[in-house]
Amino acid sequence: MADTPVITLNNGVEIPQLGLGVWQASPAETEAAVRFAIAEAGYRHIDTAAAYRNEEAVGRGIAASRVPRDEVFVTTKLWNSDHGADRARPALDASLRRLGLDHVDLVLIHWPLQDAARRIETWLALEAALEAGKARAIGVSNFTTEQLEEVIAAGSIVPAVNQVELHVRFPQQSLRAFCRTRGIAVESWSPLGGAPGSWGGETNTLLGDPIVAGVARRHERSPAQVLIRWHLQQGLIAIPKSVHPDRIRQNIEVFDFELDAGDLVALASLETGERIGADPLEANWGARPTS
Ligand code: A2P
């Protein structure tokens, strides 16, 4: 089992570049997948969220792995209904209770929402959580450059991470360039092109793409391994989701081959600039009305 490379965040905390995502995994699937990923496959990074409704299962999976807690990087996210000074702190405490942990390694604001004032309040609450030792790093998810600028201007801490939809079809070059200038690490969600049905698509057409398949054949690897390698070689943090042991293992067996310049050109040709998921400027599920 090769060690996963780490990226050093802007506050010095190290995050393994590859983690297990658990969006849309049921509690039973999550517990088994997390235990297997850590104990058998060598993962040291799990990415969950309050909204996934599987934080308890993540906590049980970590405990069942028998790997010491401080060797596993755990991320959770604050849900849309918990924005604001009054809600953010108890919501994070509730996540910690569900996870069975006294702190997480990273907590993110899950979606920016449409209410700028509340977004800032929420960020300041995360700064307080960092100060209180409830998280080792704080960041955001699905934020645009403008929303990042706003938080940087209003807060005293630059987000460590922005986790966004990112894959070969939607590589987010300009957002990544902005994040580089501010020292914000970028994490890719749906790095393999997403689960069928999650956002309306019936199949994952990226894993079945003929160009990806061609690169995979050349390296005698799977399409998923090629796509994960692409993220790693771009300096991104990727959190592919699977609940199947063979795939969980396969997805971390990516440190012994490298895509060459020709592969990267071939994969770059897949860029469409189209999202599969929601546009952050429109997504506002669960938000409480502004009073
Ligand atoms: P499953 O959980 O049934 O294995 P993303 O991480 O981009 O959201 O993609 C996740 C989707 O890709 C899920 O539907 C997952 O299904 C599937 N998946 C994950 N790893 C692999 C793999 N190695 N080969 C094929 N499909 C995979």
Side-chain angles (χ1 to χ4, degrees), residues 20 31 35 48-49 82-83 103 112 126 153 179 191 197 205 229 245 274:
L20 179 74
E31 182 174 346
R35 191 211 63 79
T48 186
D82 294 321
H83 275 231
H103 71 278
L126 290 205
C179 287
T205 54
R229 227 15 259 180
E274 280 173 26

Side-chain angles (χ1 to χ4, degrees), residues 208-230:
D209 181 275
I211 290 181
V212 178
V215 176
R217 257 195 314 277
R218 231 168 57 68
H219 289 278
E220 299 184 349
R221 297 292 172 141
S222 71
Q225 287 174 313
V226 164
L227 293 172
I228 292 166
R229 227 15 259 180
W230 180 86

Side-chain angles (χ1 to χ4, degrees), residues 126-165:
L126 290 205
E127 290 192 354
L130 183 79
E131 182 71 21
K134 292 178 184 176
R136 294 173 64 229
I138 56 176
V140 298
S141 187
N142 302 302
F143 274 45
T144 63
T145 51
E146 292 74 20
Q147 291 162 343
L148 285 167
E149 300 250 39
E150 218 178 65
V151 156
I152 293 168
S156 53
I157 294 172
V158 175
V161 154
N162 189 19
Q163 183 183 116
V164 293
E165 176 181 344

Side-chain angles (χ1 to χ4, degrees), residues 21 23 189-196 198 204 207 222-225 228 239-244 246-248 250-251 276:
W23 182 42
W189 62 255
S190 284
L192 306 178
S198 358
N204 176 323
L207 282 166
S222 71
Q225 287 174 313
I228 292 166
I239 44 165
K241 174 259 177 186
S242 182
V243 293
H244 295 101
D246 54 337
R247 292 175 173 177
I248 291 171
Q250 182 194 112
N251 292 351
I276 49 171

Side-chain angles (χ1 to χ4, degrees), residues 5-7 17-18 162 164-180 184-189 191 215 225-238 254-255 257-271:
V6 295
I7 286 194
Q17 218 187 335
L18 182 66
N162 189 19
V164 293
E165 176 181 344
L166 203 159
H167 41 78
V168 292
R169 288 185 179 147
F170 190 62
Q172 298 257 35
Q173 298 292 5
S174 60
L175 180 60
R176 279 157 67 192
F178 172 84
C179 287
R180 255 194 307 278
I184 300 170
V186 178
E187 284 191 75
S188 310
W189 62 255
V215 176
Q225 287 174 313
V226 164
L227 293 172
I228 292 166
R229 227 15 259 180
W230 180 86
H231 290 272
L232 300 179
Q233 290 184 215
Q234 310 281 317
L236 297 162
I237 302 156
V254 289
F255 303 121
F257 79 107
E258 204 162 324
L259 303 176
D260 64 22
D263 299 327
L264 295 174
V265 169
L267 294 171
S269 75
L270 296 177
E271 177 170 357

Side-chain angles (χ1 to χ4, degrees), residues 63-143:
S65 76
R66 308 223 166 250
V67 167
R69 153 69 185 108
D70 62 3
E71 291 181 22
V72 183
F73 192 101
V74 181
T75 300
T76 195
K77 311 183 192 83
L78 191 75
W79 186 235
N80 299 350
S81 50
D82 294 321
H83 275 231
D86 51 338
R87 302 282 280 250
R89 197 178 109 176
L92 177 57
D93 288 343
S95 278
L96 292 175
R97 258 196 317 278
R98 287 190 293 266
L99 285 159
L101 302 177
D102 62 0
H103 71 278
V104 284
D105 296 279
L106 177 64
V107 61
L108 307 178
I109 301 178
H110 204 146
W111 289 91
L113 304 192
Q114 310 304 306
D115 181 343
R118 208 183 262 171
R119 182 156 64 234
I120 300 299
E121 270 184 33
T122 310
W123 180 251
L124 298 179
L126 290 205
E127 290 192 354
L130 183 79
E131 182 71 21
K134 292 178 184 176
R136 294 173 64 229
I138 56 176
V140 298
S141 187
N142 302 302
F143 274 45

